[in-house]
């Protein structure tokens, strides 16, 4: 039986749109966008005439694309596979081969695309750029040259937005020359995750947390996104990105913002983004010797049954960049403002670690005066994956006569169990938000640039060090320095402590 869509999903009113996906036959499209769109269709959130138009360099026909999606995507949506919806979904798909060479001429495909979209100027038109960032400017210019940019158009930019502040600015300028800021949706799929949304609700729809959400009561915060996967077949991208650009500049910093931001005055598109921006602007810069003390970078080496980063199967052999790139990073960040002064925010992410886990751990301080032996401080754990939920670890007395024995026990909320609905993938929510014209969960230009402004000096210090990252065996808990980063102050990563 299909789990029913959530009431929030049912409330949305769909209207006809053309979703034009550049990179529409690529990995992101096949793994994330199309399964998400299928689920939206199944939940009745795509209007009857909505079309999904994939653009790629390959010379596919509409039927070729449908065959490819049938073969590659259907298996990714098993729990919702309804033959009738699946047929309807496939019928929405179109393919147009385009060439985005940026030499002033309109190349192959653009006229076909214009013919396909023509006469539908009153519909929402969404250009989703699931392609490398250097294509964003050329794509937008050519879309404009082909007369495709209408007042109802929006453009969605996938991360990474550049590789440093300068390149991010250039992309923002180029896209901004064609689309107004209100039409630009910079996606960070972490902001569409259910627990991330719930963090806002937990903080701002409950009264009990706010008085203790500060440096008086909170010892430190940990934000961890650990993955078991490596990077096979991704060397071309990953060598240039590394964990800092791939994960920290966007996903982890966005999570940090939501934990640290001040209560916004309203739940609207600008108020939340204004508050997040202030957090990014308050991050203490890390560079030079501080980068050595407060940051860690590692690269996985061979581990039990797993190759090291340099030996991952790939089309191209390792280059100099491969030897230097980090597949793991840990950082001790600080938000320099009244609320958070002195509270470390530990960020950590890496590939080929022992478990796939994304979580935010808010570690409270110990009781001011303890009358029981064996207590440990309270901890709030927000699980983004797996099994989205929230646990508040409190101290309880073990049942029994005699000595009082304390044990930390979690008061837990599992979204799947409590609400009995399928937890939608982040891309479902975000795609529906783009279609509904709601940019609240997308990054504004100033946010992206403020994040790069903090990241750039760390990158510069790492680059100038000229030393390779610290190796850690694939499948291990990361390089020893990551443990020392917390260990120096008597702290430990969440999973290393007794529960
Ligand atoms: C992407 C990164 O943005 O996020 C990938 O490019 C990473 O390297 C992925 O694996 C993790 O996303 P999730 O939702 O699986 O945690």
């Amino acid at each position: 039986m299909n789990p029913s869509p959530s009431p929030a999903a049912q409330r949305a009113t769909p209207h006809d749109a053309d979703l034009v996906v550049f990179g529409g036959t690529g990995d992101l499209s096949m793994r994330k966008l199309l399964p998400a769109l299928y689920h939206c269709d199944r939940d009745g959130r795509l209007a009857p005439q909505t079309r999904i138009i994939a653009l790629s360099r390959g010379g596919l026909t509409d039927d070729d694309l449908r065959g490819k999606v049938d073969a590659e995507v259907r298996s990714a949506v098993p729990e919702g596979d309804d033959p009738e919806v699946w047929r309807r979904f496939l019928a929405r798909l179109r393919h147009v081969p385009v060439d985005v060479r940026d030499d002033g001429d309109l190349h192959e495909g653009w006229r076909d695309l214009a013919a396909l979209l023509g006469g539908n100027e009153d519909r929402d038109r969404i250009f989703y750029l699931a392609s490398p960032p250097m294509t964003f400017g050329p794509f937008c210019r050519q879309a404009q040259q082909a007369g495709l940019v209408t007042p109802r158009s929006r453009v969605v930019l996938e991360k990474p937005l550049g590789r440093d502040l300068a390149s991010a600015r250039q992309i923002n300028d180029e896209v901004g020359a064609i689309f107004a800021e209100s039409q630009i949706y910079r996606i960070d799929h972490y902001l569409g995750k259910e627990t991330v949304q719930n963090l806002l609700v937990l903080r701002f729809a409950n009264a009990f947390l706010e008085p203790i959400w500060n440096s008086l009561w909170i010892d430190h915060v940990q934000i961890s996104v650990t993955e078991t996967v490596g990077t096979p077949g991704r060397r071309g991208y990953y060598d240039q990105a590394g964990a800092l650009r791939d994960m920290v500049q966007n996903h982890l910093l966005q999570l940090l913002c939501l934990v640290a931001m001040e209560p916004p005055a309203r739940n609207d598109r600008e108020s939340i983004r204004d508050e997040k921006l202030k957090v990014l602007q308050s991050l203490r810069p890390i560079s030079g010797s501080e980068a050595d003390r407060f940051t860690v970078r590692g690269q996985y080496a061979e581990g039990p049954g797993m190759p090291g980063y340099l030996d991952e199967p790939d089309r191209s052999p390792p280059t100099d960049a491969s030897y230097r790139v980090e597949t793991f990073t840990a950082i001790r960040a600080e938000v320099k403002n009244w609320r958070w002064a002195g509270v470390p925010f530990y960020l950590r992410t890496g590939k080929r670690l022992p478990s796939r886990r994304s979580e935010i751990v808010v570690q409270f301080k110990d009781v001011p005066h303890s009358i029981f032996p064996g207590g440990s401080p309270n901890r709030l754990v927000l699980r983004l994956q797996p099994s989205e939920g929230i646990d508040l670890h409190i101290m309880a007395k073990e049942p029994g006569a005699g000595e009082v024995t304390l044990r930390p026990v979690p008061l837990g909320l599992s979204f799947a169990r409590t609400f009995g609905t399928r937890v939608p993938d982040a891309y479902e929510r975000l795609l529906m938000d783009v279609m509904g014209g709601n940019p609240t969960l997308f990054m504004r230009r100033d946010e992206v640039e403020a994040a790069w402004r903090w990241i750039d000096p760390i990158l510069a210090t790492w680059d100038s060090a000229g030393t390779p990252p610290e190796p850690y065996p694939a499948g291990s808990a990361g390089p020893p320095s990551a443990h020392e980063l917390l260990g120096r102050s008597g702290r430990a990563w969440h999973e290393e402590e007794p529960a």
Side-chain angles (χ1 to χ4, degrees):
M1 197 187 84
N2 293 340
S4 53
S6 65
Q10 287 164 334
R11 268 201 305 273
T13 326
H15 40 95
D16 290 331
D18 283 326
L19 178 64
V20 181
V21 186
F22 180 54
T25 58
D27 183 60
L28 180 76
S29 189
M30 293 290 152
R31 269 188 322 108
K32 292 288 187 184
L33 304 182
L34 290 167
L37 286 164
Y38 167 77
H39 280 118
C40 294
D41 197 359
R42 199 200 58 193
D43 292 350
R45 288 182 284 155
L46 293 188
Q49 302 305 322
T50 287
R51 299 182 295 182
I52 302 165
I53 303 166
L55 309 183
S56 78
R57 289 198 189 93
L60 304 182
T61 63
D62 292 348
D63 283 340
D64 293 339
L65 174 69
R66 291 180 186 135
K68 182 175 164 66
V69 173
D70 198 31
E72 294 176 29
V73 178
R74 195 168 190 168
S75 56
V77 289
E79 92 294 32
D81 189 4
D82 174 328
E84 198 180 314
V85 182
W86 187 252
R87 263 195 305 279
R88 180 176 79 206
F89 178 68
L90 288 184
R92 296 179 185 278
L93 302 180
R94 305 278 188 284
H95 182 270
V96 180
V98 288
D99 178 347
V100 286
R101 237 174 316 150
D102 195 20
D103 53 10
D105 286 337
L106 263 191
H107 289 281
E108 193 192 327
W110 286 98
R111 287 189 187 84
D112 299 334
L113 182 60
L116 185 59
L117 294 174
N120 291 304
E121 283 73 12
D122 53 335
R123 288 164 163 240
D124 286 347
R125 185 173 291 173
I126 292 139
F127 297 102
Y128 195 119
L129 307 192
S131 54
M134 70 263 197
T135 62
F136 294 172
F139 181 93
C140 293
R141 280 193 289 277
Q142 298 197 25
Q144 188 187 44
Q145 203 180 334
L148 303 183
V149 179
T150 60
R152 298 190 64 128
S153 294
R154 282 160 229 148
V155 63
V156 184
L157 307 180
E158 257 299 334
K159 65 158 270 280
L161 206 93
R163 46 178 291 102
D164 52 20
L165 178 59
S167 53
R169 275 187 177 145
Q170 187 185 336
I171 293 167
N172 281 328
D173 285 346
E174 289 183 36
V175 177
I178 313 285
F179 291 93
E181 178 64 23
S182 60
Q183 296 175 292
I184 304 174
Y185 288 64
R186 297 175 192 83
I187 203 163
D188 181 326
H189 77 277
Y190 265 60
L191 292 178
K193 288 186 188 269
E194 202 64 24
T195 314
V196 175
Q197 315 271 300
N198 253 294
L199 171 57
L200 290 178
V201 173
L202 181 75
R203 284 197 59 200
F204 304 129
N206 294 290
F208 75 100
L209 274 178
E210 180 54 22
I212 55 171
W213 204 255
N214 55 49
S215 63
L216 291 180
W217 297 94
I218 292 177
D219 177 73
H220 73 276
V221 176
Q222 299 180 13
I223 300 176
S224 280
V225 179
T226 63
E227 297 184 275
T228 51
V229 291
T231 54
R234 289 183 87 193
R235 181 169 295 135
Y237 163 69
Y238 206 82
D239 273 3
Q240 299 307 315
L244 191 64
R245 290 187 177 98
D246 184 44
M247 299 293 287
V248 179
Q249 190 273 343
N250 33 76
H251 306 326
L252 276 83
L253 282 185
Q254 285 292 321
L255 298 181
L256 183 152
C257 286
L258 296 175
V259 174
M261 71 193 234
E262 293 301 313
R266 282 176 299 279
N267 180 20
D268 64 20
R269 55 181 67 192
E270 302 309 341
S271 305
I272 292 182
R273 300 194 290 181
D274 286 347
E275 294 305 336
K276 286 196 291 161
L277 176 65
K278 287 184 207 158
V279 175
L280 291 166
Q281 291 170 334
S282 311
L283 284 170
R284 181 163 183 249
I286 301 181
S287 64
S289 61
E290 297 219 317
D292 295 335
R293 262 195 310 142
F294 297 144
T295 72
V296 173
R297 60 198 170 108
Q299 185 184 92
Y300 62 87
E302 189 184 350
M306 287 171 278
Y309 177 73
L310 300 171
D311 298 318
E312 287 285 13
D314 206 279
R315 268 178 305 193
S316 45
T319 61
D320 280 358
S322 320
Y323 288 86
R324 286 196 309 268
V325 77
E326 77 289 351
T327 60
F328 176 101
T329 185
I331 301 177
R332 181 189 187 281
E334 250 183 76
V335 180
K336 300 259 294 172
N337 63 18
W338 192 294
R339 186 189 285 268
W340 295 113
V343 178
F345 283 73
Y346 294 104
L347 311 178
R348 173 180 59 162
T349 184
K351 307 277 185 203
R352 289 267 193 244
L353 295 174
S355 57
R356 177 172 186 251
R357 249 199 322 187
S358 299
E359 63 183 20
I360 300 169
V361 179
V362 178
Q363 176 74 60
F364 288 90
K365 290 188 172 166
D366 217 340
V367 292
H369 170 68
S370 174
I371 57 170
F372 302 110
S376 59
N378 300 126
R379 178 187 300 152
L380 181 69
V381 180
L382 295 117
R383 277 179 278 112
L384 276 60
Q385 59 200 20
S387 59
E388 293 88 341
I390 300 175
D391 285 328
L392 177 61
H393 295 252
I394 60 160
M395 294 311 294
K397 176 189 171 300
E398 276 191 15
E403 286 289 296
V404 173
T405 309
L406 301 189
R407 186 139 58 99
V409 287
L411 295 179
L413 163 68
S414 149
F415 294 130
R417 259 203 325 272
T418 304
F419 297 106
T421 52
R422 184 179 66 84
V423 176
D425 185 76
Y427 277 97
E428 289 175 46
R429 160 177 288 277
L430 295 174
L431 281 163
M432 288 305 99
D433 280 359
V434 180
M435 294 212 184
N438 178 4
T440 311
L441 296 177
F442 294 80
M443 294 179 293
R444 225 168 41 192
R445 173 177 185 151
D446 48 9
E447 281 182 82
V448 174
E449 294 184 5
W452 279 121
R453 202 167 286 115
W454 186 71
I455 292 285
D456 270 5
I458 301 177
L459 284 169
T461 310
W462 287 359
D463 281 349
S464 65
T467 49
E470 204 175 321
Y472 61 96
S476 72
S481 304
H483 308 280
E484 286 154 25
L485 187 70
L486 276 75
R488 297 203 278 272
S489 53
R491 300 177 173 114
W493 292 105
H494 173 46
E495 75 282 1
E496 291 167 355
E497 291 184 338

